[in-house]
Amino acid sequence: AAKYRKTEQVSLTFFGEAAANIGSFHEALNMAGLWKLPAIFVIEIAVYARLMNKKDLEYGIYEEAKK
């Protein structure tokens, strides 16, 4: 919206390192870069990914929650 309105605002997004394994994270980075969006992505290392089991990391926590 900031780019569309031509304001000098910036979107700031915080996420944990476990989110970096999910496809939508990479899609968001690619879209922000392609569209030259005023966005800052901040990764917080919470060691959450290390505490998750391998199945959850491979399929994403959302798939596991659907069961």
Side-chain angles (χ1 to χ4, degrees):
K3 184 175 180 178
Y4 180 75
R5 290 182 288 177
K6 297 182 180 168
T7 64
E8 294 187 15
Q9 295 173 316
V10 176
S11 295
L12 184 61
T13 304
F14 289 87
F15 57 95
E17 84 279 3
N21 195 40
I22 298 173
S24 57
F25 162 74
H26 298 282
E27 293 168 6
L29 290 180
N30 283 330
M31 288 179 69
L34 288 172
W35 294 347
K36 295 180 177 33
L37 298 178
I40 299 172
F41 295 88
V42 179
I43 187 167
E44 297 179 295
I45 306 299
V47 194
Y48 184 70
R50 280 194 214 169
L51 301 174
M52 292 177 68
N53 69 40
K54 186 176 179 184
K55 183 178 178 185
D56 288 342
L57 286 173
E58 289 174 355
Y59 299 109
I61 56 176
Y62 303 111
E63 292 297 323
E64 190 67 25
K66 289 181 185 177
K67 293 181 182 180

